[in-house]
Amino acid sequence: MGVENTGGVTRTEKRAAGRGRPRSRDGGSEDTRRDLLVAAGELFLDRGVARTTMSAIAERAGINQSSAYYWFAGKEAVLAALAEDNRASLKVAREQAAADAPAADRLYRVVRADIAQMLTMALPFHEFERAATASPEDFPSFAADYAELRRLLAVVIASGVASGEFPAVSPQSGADSVIALAEGLALRHYGAADRAGDVAHLGAEMAVRMMTSSPVPAARARLAVEADG
Amino acid sequence: MGVENTGGVTRTEKRAAGRGRPRSRDGGSEDTRRDLLVAAGELFLDRGVARTTMSAIAERAGINQSSAYYWFAGKEAVLAALAEDNRASLKVAREQAAADAPAADRLYRVVRADIAQMLTMALPFHEFERAATASPEDFPSFAADYAELRRLLAVVIASGVASGEFPAVSPQSGADSVIALAEGLALRHYGAADRAGDVAHLGAEMAVRMMTSSPVPAARARLAVEADG
């Protein structure tokens, strides 16, 4: 698994680099749409949704207004596109919670989809979450989507425990840990589109390993730590 | 493991809540010191270290300047304290990389210390990292400390693989995943000091489970995904 740590390169630097790259200005490329989403996300974070206008979004993206309106009818459409960005893995989770394959396979698919989604979103997930939490009226489905993803992961894990495929684990703690692993990888590797597939597979593998392991070594290690006081 | 998801509460809200709480102004309490560190971290992030003064730090913390100087001789001392915040788990990692206990026990200790540290830092780790990366001259040890922690984790994992205690895993990928899990949990639970112990134990348990599991179920799941195309 050739996943390299990004080391000292922060998303701030990545974004700064992104802003400087040559842009197509014909308004017709998918890059233009993405530049608008990134610019909108940054403005929503910096000044809030209410104080962000389409012209400010277009200006920050370095795109003229008529081209911006080619892609989005208005600010509401930009918001909707950003929110939709966040729902691809939920669709996979719904399918897998109801599917009939081994729990490990289903967990693998959901985690892989979730990491792949976060690595290709227009904003890093934790910043998207910040924008959504700051103005829930503008991102009405965010909190419910997040809760549903966590619930569906717990359903998959619980079914693996019930069938004996996974050794004892609390489905809620398992889901929390799997989400934390996915978010941690997304935080560390955001912006590295060329490695997104490898990172998604690594996270999915490690999530399955967490759930398929015997809890005995961890319980013994905890006892050893607690014996020290 | 009673770890509850914090759901829609972001660190921004937590911080806003922190700012509003009643403060002791006698300059003698540890809370005062911490308020100064938090205020300094926020200012370093907002405007950079060079443009942050001790008087601005004191003002933002709501503490008079003489009390601020009771705790810190100057901005450099504040920076040093913030950096020291980030080194507790490195000390544990150094000890455990050289220790003679089972690899699972040593991994457990390092991950637990790392999560406990991140949950009690004056700044969320990913923001601390952003400040450190934006002005490496002010946080000279940050990048080296981070690389060393990752290397020491890989040493512990490699020793577990070599002894047969851990099934096959790449020590680097294992270290990346363990760090991602720890950082993801810290991102999600930052500010919940009352649950810090539980979260640290949960993360340490899951890290040990990742490393002690057979890779077979994950490999089979990956094959199933790839067969779909």
Side-chain angles (χ1 to χ4, degrees), chain A residues 5-41:
Chain A
N5 198 287
T6 52
V9 181
T10 66
R11 64 193 152 65
T12 309
E13 289 167 325
K14 281 172 200 156
R15 264 205 230 149
R19 274 193 208 115
R21 74 174 188 272
R23 295 175 194 283
S24 136
R25 309 225 168 200
D26 65 2
S29 93
E30 280 287 336
D31 278 354
T32 305
R33 181 176 185 278
R34 192 175 174 81
D35 287 344
L36 287 165
L37 289 175
V38 171

Side-chain angles (χ1 to χ4, degrees), chain B:
Chain B
M1 282 161 298
V3 178
E4 281 301 302
N5 198 286
T6 54
V9 181
T10 64
R11 64 194 151 67
T12 310
E13 289 167 325
K14 281 173 203 157
R15 262 205 233 150
R19 274 194 207 113
R21 75 176 188 273
R23 294 175 196 283
S24 135
R25 308 227 167 198
D26 65 1
S29 93
E30 280 287 335
D31 278 354
T32 304
R33 180 176 185 278
R34 191 175 174 81
D35 287 344
L36 287 166
L37 288 176
V38 171
E42 291 176 353
L43 288 169
F44 293 158
L45 280 168
D46 288 349
R47 58 176 80 162
V49 174
R51 287 161 59 203
T52 298
T53 61
M54 272 298 275
S55 68
I57 294 170
E59 186 187 344
R60 185 172 188 125
I63 289 162
N64 67 50
Q65 276 204 55
S66 61
S67 299
Y69 280 105
Y70 170 89
W71 285 103
F72 297 105
K75 183 169 72 173
E76 292 65 30
V78 179
L79 276 171
L82 280 171
E84 201 52 38
D85 237 17
N86 189 43
R87 311 194 83 198
S89 61
L90 189 56
K91 182 167 173 288
V92 175
R94 284 178 186 146
E95 289 163 3
Q96 295 303 317
D100 202 26
D105 295 17
R106 292 150 61 204
L107 179 64
Y108 193 101
R109 285 171 202 269
V110 178
V111 175
R112 173 174 169 254
D114 194 41
I115 294 172
Q117 171 193 292
M118 286 191 284
L119 290 176
T120 52
M121 281 173 71
L123 276 180
F125 178 76
H126 64 285
E127 296 197 0
F128 177 76
E129 177 179 39
R130 189 148 64 90
T133 312
S135 56
E137 67 283 8
D138 294 313
F139 295 89
S141 71
F142 178 83
D145 287 352
Y146 195 92
E148 186 182 355
L149 178 66
R150 183 167 176 262
R151 187 181 64 73
L152 293 169
L153 277 165
V155 165
V156 171
I157 293 167
S159 76
V161 173
S163 70
E165 185 183 346
F166 297 167
V169 67
S170 142
Q172 292 302 337
S173 294
D176 274 352
S177 303
V178 165
I179 287 173
L181 171 64
E183 289 179 353
L185 285 168
L187 184 68
R188 183 69 34 210
H189 296 284
Y190 181 78
D194 57 321
R195 294 201 313 275
D198 286 342
V199 175
H201 275 300
L202 173 65
E205 173 187 335
M206 292 298 170
V208 169
R209 291 177 71 130
M210 281 201 284
M211 294 304 116
T212 53
S213 176
S214 159
V216 172
R220 192 204 56 207
R222 180 172 181 153
L223 283 173
V225 170
E226 289 180 339
D228 294 347

Side-chain angles (χ1 to χ4, degrees), chain A:
Chain A
M1 283 162 299
V3 177
E4 282 300 303
N5 198 287
T6 52
V9 181
T10 66
R11 64 193 152 65
T12 309
E13 289 167 325
K14 281 172 200 156
R15 264 205 230 149
R19 274 193 208 115
R21 74 174 188 272
R23 295 175 194 283
S24 136
R25 309 225 168 200
D26 65 2
S29 93
E30 280 287 336
D31 278 354
T32 305
R33 181 176 185 278
R34 192 175 174 81
D35 287 344
L36 287 165
L37 289 175
V38 171
E42 292 176 352
L43 288 168
F44 293 159
L45 279 168
D46 287 351
R47 59 175 80 161
V49 174
R51 288 161 60 203
T52 298
T53 61
M54 272 298 273
S55 67
I57 294 169
E59 186 186 344
R60 186 171 186 124
I63 289 162
N64 67 51
Q65 275 204 54
S66 60
S67 300
Y69 280 104
Y70 171 90
W71 284 103
F72 297 105
K75 183 169 73 176
E76 292 66 29
V78 179
L79 275 172
L82 280 172
E84 200 52 39
D85 237 17
N86 189 44
R87 309 194 84 199
S89 61
L90 190 55
K91 182 167 174 289
V92 174
R94 284 178 186 143
E95 290 163 3
Q96 295 303 318
D100 203 25
D105 295 17
R106 293 150 61 206
L107 179 64
Y108 193 102
R109 284 171 203 271
V110 178
V111 176
R112 174 175 170 253
D114 193 43
I115 295 172
Q117 171 193 292
M118 287 192 283
L119 289 176
T120 54
M121 282 173 70
L123 275 181
F125 177 77
H126 63 284
E127 296 197 1
F128 177 76
E129 178 179 37
R130 189 148 63 93
T133 311
S135 55
E137 66 283 8
D138 294 312
F139 295 89
S141 70
F142 179 83
D145 287 353
Y146 196 92
E148 187 183 355
L149 178 65
R150 182 166 176 264
R151 188 181 63 74
L152 293 169
L153 276 166
V155 165
V156 172
I157 292 167
S159 76
V161 173
S163 71
E165 185 183 347
F166 297 167
V169 67
S170 143
Q172 292 302 337
S173 294
D176 274 353
S177 303
V178 165
I179 287 173
L181 172 64
E183 291 180 353
L185 285 169
L187 184 69
R188 182 69 34 209
H189 296 283
Y190 181 78
D194 55 322
R195 293 200 315 274
D198 286 341
V199 175
H201 275 299
L202 173 65
E205 173 187 335
M206 292 297 171
V208 170
R209 290 177 71 132
M210 281 201 286
M211 294 304 117
T212 53
S213 175
S214 158
V216 172
R220 191 205 54 206
R222 179 171 181 155
L223 284 174
V225 169
E226 289 179 339
D228 294 348

